[in-house]
Amino acid sequence: MSKSRRKFFIDTDAGTDDAVALIMAMKHPGIDIVGISTSGGNVPLDCVVQNVLYIKELCGHGAPVYVGAAKPILRILDTADFIHGKDGLGDIGLDLTGRVPEEGDARDQLISTLHAHVGELELICLGPLTNLAQIEQREPGILSLAKRIYIMGGLVTLPGNVTPMSEFNIWADPEAAQIVLGAKAKFTMIGWDTTCASSDFTVEEIAAFRHIDTEIARFCADIQNVRINWMHEHKEETAVNLADPLAMAVALDPTLIDRKEYFTMTVRSGEHADPYRGFIDAIPSDDSSTVEFIHTVDRQRYVSLLKSSMTKEGIVL
Ligand code: RIB
Ligand code: CA
């Protein structure tokens, strides 16, 4: 008898590395993407929605895309378009207009889908946690209906990428992160430190995606150019850190996990410019019902999964 397909609901602020992560899920034969919720984050919400719809088209995938939170719960939206491009997909001249999402609000859809698939739905969170926090506020306990919640965000080993203490997705909406991590649910977190340890690519490694010779592979390489140029100008090392694809890989294949640890986590708020805004107080725990934090993955197998999603065949199991 064939194994039943897993059900994913992906929450995204697409974003160049969200784009690659979405492709991985769309090109995996064992996953039903029952919904995609969007929020403002890496770029404004309108761009995020158009980007996800473009990626769906590129992959020939039918997942329904819903519009969610335009801004964090309490704060203004502070984007990262200097990394992702003004349009969020690297400003490579794509026509990112005119595509139409599903009717209905992403938060309503998340709630009804969680109720429809109690204990079965896996939530993959690739942006600020605003949508998830708002459904937990609206219906306390709703997140406990998920099978597991995978979060790209945070860190337990410094430094971060926005301040030395914090990572973008948690920093962008720390109040939302606290509501989500304070909820009763099963969490797996892939942090900025996890990304730096296992998902650092050189410019040459990114360029080599093009050898796969598909439209998707060329897209995955081309959209990184704004980030590569920014890194050249502002950092000594030009590494491309693909955070969201790593989180997606862990969700798609948890056997990739190499080293993990459990933590209880509390998120600090902080004023706008406080370096501790979005800092996570992480206390190691023996209790496997606390947050499962991934330190490292098997990089060779991860990269192979990533690249196979860009081939003509997609991921083959
Ligand atoms: O902090 C890493 C950032 O890049 C996050 O926004 C993550 O989701 C990725 O887009
Ligand atoms: Ca993201």
Side-chain angles (χ1 to χ4, degrees), residues 17-18 42 84 126 152 161 167-169 192 243-244:
D17 49 347
D18 302 70
N42 288 160
H84 299 275
L126 306 175
M152 188 290 123
N161 61 348
E167 176 281 335
F168 179 83
N169 287 346
W192 180 248
D244 299 332

Side-chain angles (χ1 to χ4, degrees), residues 206-273:
I206 296 289
F209 290 168
R210 295 192 181 91
H211 298 155
I212 297 170
D213 203 19
T214 59
E215 191 184 353
I216 287 179
R218 283 187 290 276
F219 167 83
C220 290
D222 291 349
I223 59 176
Q224 307 304 333
N225 282 343
V226 171
R227 177 195 313 235
I228 289 170
N229 292 339
W230 188 87
M231 297 291 278
H232 266 309
E233 279 168 30
H234 296 89
K235 304 272 176 194
E236 276 169 27
E237 269 180 66
T238 310
V240 179
N241 304 102
L242 295 181
D244 299 332
L246 181 63
M248 185 60 79
V250 169
L252 290 172
D253 183 1
T255 73
L256 291 176
I257 299 168
D258 174 43
R259 194 166 72 82
K260 68 181 185 183
E261 206 177 349
Y262 291 95
F263 291 93
T264 55
M265 294 188 168
T266 317
V267 183
R268 295 199 202 172
S269 270
E271 294 302 317
H272 180 79

Side-chain angles (χ1 to χ4, degrees), residues 47 59 71 96 114 174 187 193 198 205 222-223 230 259 262 278 308 310 317:
C47 294
C59 293
K71 61 175 274 304
L96 298 168
L114 279 162
F187 294 108
D193 39 0
S198 296
E205 285 172 317
D222 291 349
I223 59 176
W230 188 87
R259 194 166 72 82
Y262 291 95
S308 62
M310 301 175 199
L317 297 180

